[in-house]
Amino acid sequence: MIKKQYAVIGLGRFGTSVARRLREAGHEVLGIDVSEEKVEDAEKYVTHAVVADTTEEKALTSIGIRNFDVVIVAIGNDIQSSILTCMLLKDLNVDKIIAKAQGKRHGHVLDKIGVDWLVFPERDMGERVANQLLSPNMLNYIELSKEYNIEEIMIPSKMAEKSLRQLEIRAKYNVSVIAIISDGDIIVSPSPDHIIHERDLLVVIGNRQDLSKFSSIE
């Protein structure tokens, strides 16, 4: 796994759940908030945590925000601070910006600014966002326990036009294919000789770490 550097701005419930999951996966995570209390709490589950006002360009440049692979703006109810922060991040040429939107109008403004991915908290849970960051081929998942998930994964192109027997997914990746979604049809318990096509989705079950490795295959 390639380690990435993430910055999470806003350490409320949503930001905390994203930061914690990313750190658990072994990535570098910087937590940022204007509240000293939240920053102190965050030190337990992130790599570093700093108190900063991200609506100030000097604060962002002193942190070295340009060096992060992804910046998640999880500012709570202060829409103005969220918008100003995202504008500054764009001006500073941050590679990828993900931002929490409080509603359609807020989301529309953030989209116009050029935010790469909008998250609406009533629809997207923080941990789901983190999981999708960690596993770009994963489209959906069901958490069975703290250790096991069922996930819906888009196959990498190199697996296309091969049978499950040829791919040896269970032996190589320690996850099990329990269904295949192909052109809207669901094939439950597919046979080992079933051929997987490029746009097929695999429904797999396994340990979260094994699933994360499998869904990160390019």
Side-chain angles (χ1 to χ4, degrees), residues 141-155:
Y141 78 100
I142 298 171
E143 185 177 295
L144 298 178
S145 68
K146 289 184 177 180
E147 295 183 356
Y148 288 89
N149 280 0
I150 294 174
E151 296 183 0
E152 187 178 293
I153 294 172
M154 183 182 297
I155 66 162

Side-chain angles (χ1 to χ4, degrees), residues 92-138:
L92 292 169
N93 297 316
V94 170
D95 284 343
K96 186 170 184 178
I97 305 167
I98 297 169
K100 183 176 94 169
Q102 294 300 324
K104 288 183 179 180
R105 290 184 180 179
H106 184 201
H108 181 70
V109 173
L110 295 177
D111 184 54
K112 289 292 184 183
I113 290 170
V115 167
D116 298 289
W117 180 7
L118 293 175
V119 178
F120 294 86
E122 68 274 13
R123 187 189 65 194
D124 300 307
M125 294 168 55
E127 186 163 336
R128 183 182 297 273
V129 173
N131 275 307
Q132 289 180 333
L133 281 170
L134 296 168
S135 307
N137 293 326
M138 185 184 73

Side-chain angles (χ1 to χ4, degrees), residues 39-138:
V39 167
E40 287 177 4
D41 289 340
E43 289 174 345
K44 305 169 189 174
Y45 54 82
V46 297
T47 315
H48 304 288
V50 296
V51 177
D53 180 356
T54 56
T55 64
E56 297 289 339
E57 185 175 348
K58 286 183 179 179
L60 290 172
T61 53
S62 66
I63 291 168
I65 204 72
R66 291 189 187 93
N67 299 323
F68 288 85
D69 299 297
V70 182
V71 178
I72 301 105
V73 181
I75 294 172
N77 296 322
D78 190 342
I79 293 175
Q80 181 176 333
S81 292
S82 168
I83 292 170
L84 288 173
T85 296
C86 290
M87 289 176 65
L88 286 172
L89 293 173
K90 287 299 293 184
D91 288 344
L92 292 169
N93 297 316
V94 170
D95 284 343
K96 186 170 184 178
I97 305 167
I98 297 169
K100 183 176 94 169
Q102 294 300 324
K104 288 183 179 180
R105 290 184 180 179
H106 184 201
H108 181 70
V109 173
L110 295 177
D111 184 54
K112 289 292 184 183
I113 290 170
V115 167
D116 298 289
W117 180 7
L118 293 175
V119 178
F120 294 86
E122 68 274 13
R123 187 189 65 194
D124 300 307
M125 294 168 55
E127 186 163 336
R128 183 182 297 273
V129 173
N131 275 307
Q132 289 180 333
L133 281 170
L134 296 168
S135 307
N137 293 326
M138 185 184 73

